[in-house]
Amino acid sequence: MGEVICEPPNNKLDTFTGTLYWRDNKYPLDNGKMLLRGCVLRNTEWCFGMVIFAGPQTKLMQNCGRTTFKRTSIDKLMNTLVLWIFAFLICMGVILAIGNTIWESQIGINFQVFLQGNESHSSPVFSGFLTFWSYIIILNTVVPISLYVSVEVLRLGHSYFINWDQRMFCRQADTAAQARTTTLNEELGQVEFIFSDKTGTLTQNIMVFRKCSINAKTYGDVYDEFDQKVEITEKTASVDFSFNPLCDRGFKFHDGSLVEAVKLEEPVVQDFFRLLALCHTVMPEEKSEGHLVYQAQSPDEGALVTAARNFGFVLCTRTPETITLCEMGQVVTYQLLAILDFNNVRKRMSVIVRNPKGQIKLYSKGADTVIFERLDSSCHDLMYTTSEHLSEFAGEGLRTLALAYKDLDESYFEVWTKKLLFVSTEIENRDDNLAVLYEEIEQDLKLLGATAIEDKLQEGVPETITCLNLADIKIWVLTGDKLETAMNIGYSCNMLRDDMNEVFVLSGHTLLEVQQQLRSAKEHILGLSRVSSTGDADTDDSVFEETIIAEYALVINGHSLAHALEPQLEHILLDLACLCKTVICCRVTPMQKAQVVELVKRHKRAVTLAIGDGANDVSMIKTAHIGVGISGQEGMQAVLASDYSFAQFRYLQRLLLVHGRWSYFRMCNFLCYFFYKNFAFTLVHFWYGFFCGFSAQTVYDQWFITLFNIIYTSLPVLAMGLFDQDVNEQNSLCYPSLYRLGQQNLLFNKRQFFLCALKGMSTSFLLFFVPCGAFAVMVREDGSHFSDRQAFAVTIATSLVFVVTVQIGLDTHYWTAVNQLFIWGSLIVYFAILFAMQSNGMFGLFPSSFSFVGTARNCLREKSVWLVILLTTVVCVVPGLAVSFLNADLFPTLTDKVRNLQQSRKKQGPEGQNLRRVRRTSSRRSAYAFSHQQGYGELITSGKNMRRSSVSSAHSPETTQHNSTWIENMLKRTNEVSCISDEGTGDSEGNNTSQTPKQQVTV
Amino acid sequence: MGKVKGKLGPLARRPDNSAFKQQRLPAWSPMLTANTVLPFFYIMALICLLLGVWLLLTVQSTREIKLDYTVGPCDKCHEKRKNVTSAAEDCKCTVEFTIEKRFKGDVFFYYGLKNFHQNLRRYMDSRDDGQMVGRKNNLKNPSSYCKPFVRDQSGLPIAPCGAVANSIFNDSFTLMYHEPSSTPVKVPLLRRGITWYTDKNVKFRNPKMNSSMNLAQVFEGTAKPLYWKKPVYDLDPLDQNNNGFINDDLIIWMREAAFPNFKKLYGVLHRAKKPFTGGLPAGNYSIDISYNFPVQPFQGRKEIVLTTLTWFGGQNHFLPIAYLVTSSLILLIAIALTVVWCKFGKNGKNMEE
């Protein structure tokens, strides 16, 4: 019987403590012995294990966060407003009840003789009480019950439009966008913060060998006959690797000259690829004859080894002591003498091999800065040219590595090996001593060249990010990746730029350190802008936030974030983050992702959107107001937790700027109109109360009251809510600033509601008093009296229908055939039902229900009634029309301008508009980034991960992203320093002139 | 709705490329530009102005005379009606007036009531349309809406039931023309055919009767409303066909007024005989009033209105004035908008950025 005693289930991915008791022995269990849920076993078919946590107790599930019921801010506002309306209704009831009490005691008492009321009505106060309830019932139409139903119908419609959108359909994945919830659509038009995962969302997690510089010559660019660089697309002809039977068919390279160079057997080029084929920790696996599969720890390495393979230096097999290559068809076996493993401080890795000729060689690859420092003085010129090439590569957002080699003296190496042996058996300071030893041998290297790998972004990512930035949406990248990788992607996505004033890197390990870094960064920003903005230092930070012209970026490491998220620091973190244009958090756990989202959600009152593709994004997707799942390779967890899902990041642009903006715009217009309509409709009863002794007499026919909201006016406003477009989709995308209206919540807020209500009230006032004035003295053409209640009801009802129809006509920006049908149809239906309800037949069936018989016929035949209707309509509509014209003319919003432009352009004829591809210009910046982890060298030399070795292979729980071992390693090496920040900021001053070509918005 | 059926191949799940689904329905998107709004305002102002002027001119051509007879010559009757004990007693009085200028064309005779709330909810509901349309069942069992005028003390159902019918206006008038030379002539008034066709023929019907019965037999077993002097089948002693529920005065009364001050048609000048063929000639007139309807309890007023009509009804100053005011307001707005537009927003200056 064994027993495990361990910590309770928690969400910390990087620690585990427990003890296994087995046959009277104690075995410590730590994180290195854990396989987390979702890990993939590699290089082994099986392993023994024991389930410690299952189901919701697993660390992954503990990281998932709670599922909360999401509602939009408009929903919440609507609920508040409905409460207000309810209060308003009660107020009206009270006013009318008091009126009734007074009226009953003053006048009604004299009228008793005609009513001979039962005793209950004799007391004015009691009568007032009854009147209160009667009016609550009569005026209840002011509380828009049907609003909720209509809003849901609209949202459903908008969701279908998202599902139906062809431009959000991904051909490759055969996936259309999917709105998984139907309740959040209009919030898509108000997003201020986007939290994005990196791998799988921004990038494809595919590394491609793009370019290289060998011996001061670059390869990889394609030139046309005029010596102009040609943009490489899918169609560009790729090099034929048929000379190499072992090549990987998936590999594409477009520059034929490199193949020529290899075929010519230029020694430097050969050495270059030999290095790539030797210096790595990749495990080759021959699945079948001639079919090699490489198991790479990081995709970067895989890309490099695959490149070497295709250019004729094929890695065939490796054992702990040897590496066998197939060099241009010849099998060559190298003796592997040592692996000088990679780590974040060294930023390089080297191998020492003995080739068949017996020469000992050291091959090294690493960050350019690191390699260049250790070069032999003879390479000075070459270094200079290569570094220029590297800058060029970096400018294109490629990840670079510099390659160098060194011939080793046999005797020197022997001495060194002995030292190595001695050090590696040491217990104290082993790592430090090893580092010193490695440093010793990696000197006077000879430069071979440099490689440039593209971390393939998802399609259209930089454009999308630029566009969303223009829409004032802040994009934060939250990734589990390393700092360098994250920053590199930041650069290639245009989120980080060389012309940024400062890139702050937060990597403190203690609370104090982090606090210090946060403070100084904030002071730096505020200090600068205080100087630049005429020095009124009294204004508070929130004002500053708007006025900061300079661009900053913030990069936070996971362990710093843990401190920064503590209550005493979260405010300063948030302030700082909001001052920066770009925020990148790296090495964050899923729970931290959710915490960051939660932080913004809690304090900024802004709408947040989280987008991700993997299980590690689920918590953030659930926490954010809107969660978007990318249906990619990483399984369905993210999609299942999300509110919207699609196949590619770039569809986000369309989802927000087109669908979201339209949804918001439509919903707001819809709500404004709906409230207006209900107020105009209902308050007429209120005014009538003053004339009918507050007796709760309705103005309209009962049937009209019943049908008004359901039939007469529901469809046109629904059509508007479904189809309206202020600006067409092209312009929505071309002018991202249009999106700001939604972020600032300008189209529907409490003020707008009051204006709508006021408009409705004044309409109801006019609607009542114009016919009232006319009716007091009106008679029919044939002399019969006309001032009766039924004719009055029909006249007001008809006027009302006309007024609200004209109003919806004015509010509709986009008259499709459906709108036309619904608007005109509603009018026709109104008259049809009016005449049907008041027909002889209906009256004959139910005399007391249809007592309005003949009123419409007698009433609408009169010219005077039409004169009244015309007058009422004009009087009700004209002021609103004048105001909206003035607004559009004097203070046109961007929407008005774009609409105007659109109109004039329509006259000129259509014009192709497409977003230009955003290209970064080259600037001097090191683009070293390597998603490699320490520890593999050891693993290989120990032979533990070799298939044939009998040692259990269960030690390599290799998940690409959140492998707990690597995180642990990371945390151990606490002194790592960020590598790009210095260069990036240092270079920026000199390069401010090289502006990134941004999309220009000219309106 | 997401159609997946029928399609195969790599793009099976691709949404349809229809204008509707892609939100590209052809549409008309109008804008409020100066070119459309300003002319609209001017045209609106002009239309309202023309209508207003036309209406005003038309109204000017009408003649109207209003006689409040609540007190004055009828003071005595007014006092008498205050007293409930003398409610049953008849009281007659005469109001005299002079028409300076001839009333040309059709002349309409109205009675008017002020401060009489026919629009109280409980009052308005207190009627049974089923009974009035002649349903036998309702005749004997009036709807409970008629409370408290459903049955009299002896338990007989009241026909017509309800507060509205009960409070029918029961003054009657005889208009006399005092020709200068001869004895007063009774001005002939048409007291029938003054209701809406639908009311007279659809909404109000007497209960069905076979030819052997007379109206009194049909209404047997019902009681007259409390305040009535005559039963419903005996309202018009002169014309048997104007009795029962289809009595014109009853129908007119039953069409409740929307406001507390109202007038209802009493009769139309019968222009068959001289000197009334061209309308009411100028001269002295008197009206013999049978003063029955008490207005004192609710401080009401009673009046008689004699008027001629135009194509849009009687002397209605509200509409022309309202139109003129509206027209001038729209014109003002239009001018203001034009000025603002010329000064600030011309040529879409604000539209540029």
Side-chain angles (χ1 to χ4, degrees):
Chain A
M1 275 296 274
E3 194 182 8
V4 171
I5 293 176
C6 66
E7 61 183 16
N10 58 45
N11 59 21
K12 290 180 190 124
L13 289 176
D14 47 8
T15 58
F16 180 80
T17 46
T19 323
L20 168 69
Y21 296 92
W22 173 249
R23 289 182 179 157
D24 302 329
N25 276 330
K26 265 169 79 175
Y27 302 94
L29 298 178
D30 62 7
N31 209 25
K33 300 185 173 65
M34 292 291 288
L35 276 175
L36 296 185
R37 176 177 168 172
C39 290
V40 181
L41 283 184
R42 285 212 184 138
N43 304 325
T44 177
E45 301 282 303
W46 52 268
C47 73
F48 283 115
M50 172 179 165
V51 177
I52 303 250
F53 299 130
Q57 297 185 330
T58 54
K59 296 208 179 222
L60 195 81
M61 293 307 283
Q62 294 272 321
N63 260 302
C64 269
R66 282 183 304 121
T67 309
T68 47
F69 180 60
K70 290 181 183 179
R71 294 167 61 198
T72 65
S73 54
I74 294 241
D75 248 341
K76 287 171 202 151
L77 178 61
M78 233 161 69
N79 288 345
T80 323
L81 293 182
V82 166
L83 282 182
W84 286 7
I85 292 177
F86 209 81
F88 177 67
L89 169 69
I90 288 171
C91 277
M92 282 197 298
V94 167
I95 292 171
L96 292 166
I98 292 171
N100 182 262
T101 310
I102 295 169
W103 190 88
E104 283 289 340
S105 54
Q106 303 283 320
I107 303 162
I109 215 151
N110 304 323
F111 216 72
Q112 284 297 332
V113 66
F114 295 109
L115 280 169
Q116 287 197 344
N118 31 356
E119 292 313 303
S120 65
H121 289 288
S122 51
S123 149
V125 176
F126 186 66
S127 157
F129 175 74
L130 290 182
T131 308
F132 172 77
W133 292 108
S134 307
Y135 269 113
I136 294 292
I137 294 167
I138 288 177
L139 297 175
N140 81 75
T141 43
V142 82
V143 181
I145 306 298
S146 59
L147 180 71
Y148 284 93
V149 181
S150 314
V151 162
E152 289 310 315
V153 170
L154 282 195
R155 285 176 177 158
L156 185 70
H158 295 168
S159 304
Y160 269 112
F161 280 129
I162 291 174
N163 292 348
W164 283 334
D165 195 341
Q166 261 198 330
R167 300 196 184 183
M168 282 162 63
F169 170 79
C170 179
R171 248 165 209 282
Q172 291 87 12
D174 191 24
T175 330
Q178 198 189 358
R180 296 171 44 85
T181 46
T182 58
T183 52
L184 298 173
N185 290 316
E186 74 268 8
E187 197 129 281
L188 288 175
Q190 297 184 282
V191 172
E192 269 182 72
F193 288 90
I194 293 180
F195 299 93
S196 172
D197 176 39
K198 186 190 79 69
T199 317
T201 306
L202 297 178
T203 65
Q204 301 178 348
N205 205 18
I206 297 175
M207 303 286 173
V208 180
F209 180 79
R210 270 274 172 254
K211 292 182 183 180
C212 57
S213 158
I214 306 173
N215 203 13
K217 188 165 186 294
T218 58
Y219 299 92
D221 282 325
V222 181
Y223 296 90
D224 62 8
E225 57 266 42
F226 311 108
D227 247 18
Q228 292 288 309
K229 224 185 243 185
V230 177
E231 188 129 345
I232 289 172
T233 60
E234 294 286 311
K235 284 171 202 146
T236 316
S238 59
V239 173
D240 181 22
F241 287 108
S242 54
F243 68 92
N244 182 358
L246 290 169
C247 74
D248 182 350
R249 309 246 171 262
F251 183 81
K252 285 206 164 56
F253 199 75
H254 302 282
D255 187 2
S257 57
L258 188 56
V259 181
E260 298 307 315
V262 174
K263 282 181 180 166
L264 289 174
E265 306 199 347
E266 282 181 29
V268 185
V269 177
Q270 287 200 334
D271 252 356
F272 181 87
F273 284 114
R274 189 173 292 126
L275 189 155
L276 289 184
L278 289 173
C279 178
H280 55 76
T281 56
V282 171
M283 296 296 301
E285 205 177 329
E286 196 157 8
K287 286 251 160 118
S288 59
E289 189 65 34
H291 181 70
L292 280 169
V293 175
Y294 291 151
Q295 296 282 3
Q297 192 247 121
S298 68
D300 331 42
E301 279 217 306
L304 289 177
V305 178
T306 308
R309 168 182 174 178
N310 273 39
F311 285 102
F313 288 78
V314 189
L315 167 71
C316 292
T317 51
R318 84 182 298 162
T319 65
E321 291 87 29
T322 61
I323 298 174
T324 308
L325 299 187
C326 179
E327 285 183 7
M328 305 306 288
Q330 291 171 310
V331 178
V332 186
T333 303
Y334 292 85
Q335 255 194 302
L336 183 62
L337 301 175
I339 295 183
L340 282 55
D341 200 9
F342 178 90
N343 76 24
N344 279 318
V345 185
R346 285 164 40 75
K347 292 187 196 169
R348 63 189 183 271
M349 91 171 262
S350 309
V351 288
I352 301 173
V353 293
R354 189 195 300 274
N355 66 12
K357 290 173 201 159
Q359 296 160 319
I360 299 175
K361 292 207 177 211
L362 180 141
Y363 291 110
S364 183
K365 69 176 179 188
D368 45 5
T369 44
V370 181
I371 297 286
F372 287 176
E373 278 170 23
R374 292 168 178 80
L375 285 186
D376 194 64
S377 51
S378 61
C379 299
H380 195 265
D381 286 345
L382 179 59
M383 184 185 105
Y384 187 73
T385 332
T386 309
S387 98
E388 265 187 3
H389 292 162
L390 281 170
S391 303
E392 198 180 301
F393 297 157
E396 289 168 37
L398 302 175
R399 299 178 175 204
T400 57
L401 281 178
L403 311 183
Y405 76 101
K406 184 185 180 182
D407 293 310
L408 287 179
D409 192 36
E410 184 91 30
S411 52
Y412 173 75
F413 178 70
E414 251 167 50
V415 174
W416 185 82
T417 317
K418 276 177 191 148
K419 280 195 224 162
L420 185 68
L421 259 174
F422 173 71
V423 167
S424 45
T425 50
E426 244 176 44
I427 294 166
E428 271 179 36
N429 287 335
R430 199 186 79 145
D431 286 353
D432 292 343
N433 290 338
L434 270 181
V436 172
L437 208 58
Y438 289 170
E439 185 78 43
E440 186 192 315
I441 202 164
E442 286 167 332
Q443 291 296 340
D444 302 323
L445 304 174
K446 296 210 173 80
L447 188 63
L448 274 174
T451 60
I453 301 173
E454 185 181 355
D455 186 357
K456 265 200 142 170
L457 293 178
Q458 298 269 6
E459 241 175 282
V461 166
E463 291 89 338
T464 306
I465 286 178
T466 315
C467 189
L468 293 177
N469 266 332
L470 286 176
D472 268 4
I473 302 175
K474 294 199 165 106
I475 303 178
W476 294 19
V477 174
L478 310 178
T479 174
D481 270 4
K482 291 200 309 170
L483 189 81
E484 297 84 5
T485 326
M487 284 182 78
N488 199 280
I489 288 302
Y491 276 103
S492 54
C493 292
N494 252 5
M495 296 183 66
L496 299 175
R497 285 190 305 271
D498 295 321
D499 56 339
M500 284 188 150
N501 298 45
E502 185 90 53
V503 177
F504 301 107
V505 177
L506 235 65
S507 51
H509 288 275
T510 61
L511 193 67
L512 275 176
E513 237 178 294
V514 173
Q515 187 173 20
Q516 182 61 36
Q517 282 175 327
L518 282 171
R519 289 246 164 92
S520 65
K522 193 176 169 190
E523 269 156 28
H524 181 82
I525 296 180
L526 294 180
L528 267 190
S529 44
R530 281 218 170 87
V531 172
S532 59
S533 66
T534 65
D536 49 344
D538 312 284
T539 42
D540 65 333
D541 295 351
S542 57
V543 177
F544 262 108
E545 214 173 289
E546 312 299 322
T547 56
I548 284 178
I549 323 135
E551 294 189 343
Y552 298 95
L554 178 66
V555 181
I556 313 177
N557 223 326
H559 47 80
S560 313
L561 190 65
H563 294 299
L565 282 174
E566 278 175 26
Q568 63 263 45
L569 285 187
E570 60 177 24
H571 275 102
I572 185 167
L573 169 73
L574 193 65
D575 287 347
L576 178 64
C578 291
L579 288 171
C580 293
K581 270 224 115 140
T582 302
V583 178
I584 297 178
C585 304
C586 36
R587 298 215 73 78
V588 291
T589 62
M591 212 56 214
Q592 276 180 329
K593 287 185 181 186
Q595 279 169 349
V596 172
V597 175
E598 184 65 38
L599 176 73
V600 173
K601 214 172 135 183
R602 203 152 14 105
H603 295 293
K604 291 304 279 187
R605 280 200 194 165
V607 179
T608 54
L609 181 146
I611 179 167
D613 73 324
N616 54 339
D617 307 314
V618 168
S619 60
M620 135 173 123
I621 284 175
K622 280 183 182 169
T623 312
H625 289 106
I626 303 167
V628 179
I630 302 254
S631 40
Q633 294 86 13
E634 272 200 62
M636 291 299 283
Q637 287 105 317
V639 172
L640 290 177
S642 68
D643 305 309
Y644 298 90
S645 73
F646 41 70
Q648 296 216 315
F649 181 77
R650 67 191 159 110
Y651 298 143
L652 189 62
Q653 184 184 1
R654 197 171 164 78
L655 183 72
L656 296 185
L657 297 190
V658 178
H659 288 287
R661 210 180 63 80
W662 277 350
S663 261
Y664 174 71
F665 165 78
R666 289 165 180 170
M667 190 60 76
C668 292
N669 266 12
F670 172 84
L671 289 176
C672 281
Y673 178 76
F674 213 96
F675 285 120
Y676 159 80
K677 186 184 78 170
N678 273 327
F679 272 88
F681 166 55
T682 310
L683 288 193
V684 171
H685 297 307
F686 179 78
W687 308 120
Y688 192 48
F690 292 88
F691 291 86
C692 67
F694 307 96
S695 64
Q697 177 60 47
T698 56
V699 176
Y700 315 109
D701 180 8
Q702 283 303 327
W703 289 106
F704 179 79
I705 294 175
T706 315
L707 298 179
F708 177 76
N709 266 333
I710 305 173
I711 294 182
Y712 300 151
T713 56
S714 63
L715 288 180
V717 68
L718 264 186
M720 181 184 79
L722 282 176
F723 302 116
D724 213 21
Q725 300 179 5
D726 50 348
V727 168
N728 64 20
E729 51 184 350
Q730 288 89 358
N731 282 326
S732 296
L733 291 170
C734 279
Y735 302 100
S737 324
L738 289 172
Y739 193 77
R740 291 175 196 170
L741 280 182
Q743 292 169 331
Q744 291 155 14
N745 208 2
L746 288 180
L747 293 182
F748 190 76
N749 45 37
K750 286 177 182 149
R751 187 169 165 270
Q752 286 294 327
F753 167 74
F754 278 119
L755 289 179
C756 292
L758 205 64
K759 199 167 143 196
M761 281 185 222
S762 48
T763 300
S764 76
F765 183 84
L766 292 168
L767 204 57
F768 177 77
F769 282 99
V770 170
C772 164
F775 262 76
V777 284
M778 208 147 79
V779 275
R780 258 162 63 104
E781 228 171 302
D782 65 0
S784 46
H785 71 88
F786 199 51
S787 50
D788 77 295
R789 211 265 305 187
Q790 297 190 334
F792 184 65
V794 170
T795 312
I796 291 205
T798 312
S799 310
L800 174 68
V801 170
F802 272 106
V803 169
V804 295
T805 306
V806 171
Q807 194 63 45
I808 190 86
L810 288 175
D811 286 351
T812 303
H813 297 75
Y814 193 75
W815 287 69
T816 63
V818 184
N819 291 76
Q820 302 267 12
L821 177 75
F822 282 177
I823 289 177
W824 302 116
S826 284
L827 274 184
I828 293 167
V829 164
Y830 166 69
F831 283 110
I833 291 181
L834 182 70
F835 283 109
M837 290 283 184
Q838 307 189 355
S839 65
N840 303 349
M842 292 299 264
F843 179 75
L845 290 173
F846 309 101
S848 25
S849 306
F850 297 97
S851 60
F852 270 64
V853 58
T855 313
R857 269 176 282 169
N858 285 294
C859 179
L860 297 179
R861 201 188 290 148
E862 292 303 303
K863 295 177 198 83
S864 47
V865 168
W866 287 105
L867 284 176
V868 173
I869 293 173
L870 174 69
L871 184 68
T872 314
T873 313
V874 167
V875 165
C876 290
V877 169
V878 156
L881 187 65
V883 169
S884 37
F885 169 71
L886 267 188
N887 267 337
D889 192 50
L890 290 184
F891 318 105
T893 57
L894 184 63
T895 317
D896 292 326
K897 290 170 192 170
V898 175
R899 263 170 76 77
N900 199 28
L901 202 74
Q902 189 176 314
Q903 295 283 315
S904 52
R905 201 171 284 163
K906 205 188 265 173
K907 280 171 202 153
Q908 288 163 16
E911 196 178 297
Q913 299 165 335
N914 50 346
L915 284 170
R916 218 154 43 82
R917 186 176 156 80
V918 189
R919 264 252 164 254
R920 287 159 30 76
T921 50
S922 124
S923 62
R924 284 186 60 85
R925 179 175 64 76
S926 165
Y928 156 77
F930 207 56
S931 46
H932 203 79
Q933 310 289 347
Q934 186 178 15
Y936 261 80
E938 214 176 319
L939 205 61
I940 284 172
T941 44
S942 70
K944 269 185 190 169
N945 66 337
M946 301 290 162
R947 175 68 52 77
R948 65 205 67 155
S949 62
S950 57
V951 188
S952 159
S953 322
H955 269 296
S956 48
E958 297 159 63
T959 51
T960 38
Q961 289 304 305
H962 294 280
N963 186 318
S964 48
T965 317
W966 309 126
I967 291 178
E968 192 189 21
N969 280 346
M970 279 295 295
L971 291 176
K972 257 196 256 162
R973 279 155 193 75
T974 45
N975 282 325
E976 65 176 11
V977 194
S978 59
C979 50
I980 312 181
S981 56
D982 305 345
E983 292 98 326
T985 49
D987 287 345
S988 64
E989 263 117 38
N991 275 311
N992 271 344
T993 42
S994 63
Q995 286 286 338
T996 311
K998 264 185 275 181
Q999 283 174 290
Q1000 300 290 322
V1001 182
T1002 41
V1003 179
Chain B
M1 271 200 248
K3 278 188 217 159
V4 195
K5 56 184 177 191
K7 282 195 292 184
L8 284 170
L11 300 178
R13 274 185 282 176
R14 177 156 131 176
D16 296 340
N17 186 17
S18 62
F20 174 72
K21 289 189 176 180
Q22 301 307 318
Q23 304 197 58
R24 280 196 302 261
L25 287 176
W28 172 58
S29 40
M31 272 191 80
L32 294 181
T33 58
N35 295 338
T36 51
V37 174
L38 293 182
F40 170 78
F41 272 79
Y42 284 111
I43 289 171
M44 242 17 251
L46 189 67
I47 290 174
C48 289
L49 182 73
L50 290 178
L51 274 176
V53 169
W54 186 19
L55 291 180
L56 196 63
L57 290 178
T58 321
V59 165
Q60 295 300 345
S61 70
T62 60
R63 304 294 320 276
E64 188 180 73
I65 192 162
K66 278 184 181 173
L67 301 161
D68 187 325
Y69 69 97
T70 325
V71 284
C74 295
D75 224 355
K76 159 185 66 127
C77 292
H78 183 63
E79 290 303 316
K80 204 172 191 171
R81 290 291 166 244
K82 277 183 186 173
N83 200 339
V84 185
T85 53
S86 54
E89 292 170 42
D90 279 345
C91 180
K92 289 202 188 320
C93 60
T94 306
V95 177
E96 292 179 352
F97 64 99
T98 310
I99 291 180
E100 307 278 330
K101 245 172 109 182
R102 179 169 82 102
F103 276 36
K104 215 172 136 192
D106 283 337
V107 180
F108 296 81
F109 188 111
Y110 298 91
Y111 61 87
L113 279 175
K114 286 189 173 159
N115 212 13
F116 186 86
H117 282 266
Q118 259 202 320
N119 57 5
L120 294 182
R121 183 175 53 81
R122 284 194 295 129
Y123 178 88
M124 276 186 138
D125 290 348
S126 182
R127 58 187 287 167
D128 186 355
D129 285 322
Q131 190 189 45
M132 303 282 249
V133 81
R135 299 208 163 167
K136 281 267 167 59
N137 190 29
N138 294 52
L139 185 68
K140 295 289 156 62
N141 294 301
S143 148
S144 58
Y145 279 106
C146 287
K147 269 180 188 168
F149 303 98
V150 181
R151 290 171 190 281
D152 67 355
Q153 283 96 339
S154 57
L156 286 176
I158 296 173
C161 74
V164 187
N166 186 52
S167 61
I168 192 168
F169 185 77
N170 52 3
D171 286 6
S172 55
F173 311 96
T174 317
L175 181 59
M176 306 296 282
Y177 174 50
H178 300 266
E179 269 181 294
S181 50
S182 61
T183 51
V185 184
K186 187 180 170 193
V187 179
L189 287 180
L190 284 172
R191 298 289 319 285
R192 296 189 46 207
I194 53 178
T195 58
W196 293 4
Y197 175 84
T198 47
D199 282 358
K200 183 90 177 175
N201 295 288
V202 181
K203 196 172 179 184
F204 295 90
R205 306 298 315 151
N206 277 328
K208 282 219 182 66
M209 50 181 174
N210 37 33
S211 48
S212 61
M213 294 165 86
N214 64 21
L215 209 53
Q217 286 168 315
V218 175
F219 282 99
E220 211 174 273
T222 63
K224 69 177 172 59
L226 238 57
Y227 295 175
W228 285 23
K229 285 178 184 169
K230 292 184 264 181
V232 67
Y233 48 83
D234 205 16
L235 284 174
D236 190 348
L238 301 176
D239 187 348
Q240 201 52 44
N241 290 330
N242 193 23
N243 269 328
F245 294 141
I246 54 169
N247 178 273
D248 277 15
D249 288 336
L250 176 64
I251 292 174
I252 287 179
W253 182 255
M254 293 302 288
R255 189 152 277 283
E256 301 114 330
F259 295 99
N261 302 336
F262 59 90
K263 62 185 180 188
K264 286 174 185 280
L265 189 58
Y266 185 74
V268 185
L269 177 67
H270 190 53
R271 297 197 306 177
K273 279 190 288 179
K274 282 215 163 188
F276 305 112
T277 44
L280 277 184
N284 293 326
Y285 290 82
S286 69
I287 302 172
D288 295 332
I289 301 164
S290 168
Y291 196 112
N292 297 318
F293 196 76
V295 290
Q296 194 273 337
F298 54 92
Q299 284 115 34
R301 310 289 293 181
K302 300 198 278 192
E303 63 178 12
I304 293 163
V305 182
L306 282 167
T307 181
T308 62
L309 291 187
T310 62
W311 59 270
F312 73 97
Q315 197 168 49
N316 186 349
H317 282 283
F318 177 83
L319 268 187
I321 289 169
Y323 265 105
L324 288 176
V325 170
T326 309
S327 141
S328 45
L329 283 179
I330 296 178
L331 193 66
L332 274 180
I333 294 175
I335 291 169
L337 287 186
T338 316
V339 170
V340 166
W341 175 67
C342 285
K343 274 205 154 167
F344 304 107
K346 206 173 179 178
N347 305 328
K349 237 183 282 171
N350 290 327
M351 286 293 168
E352 291 150 20
E353 193 178 83

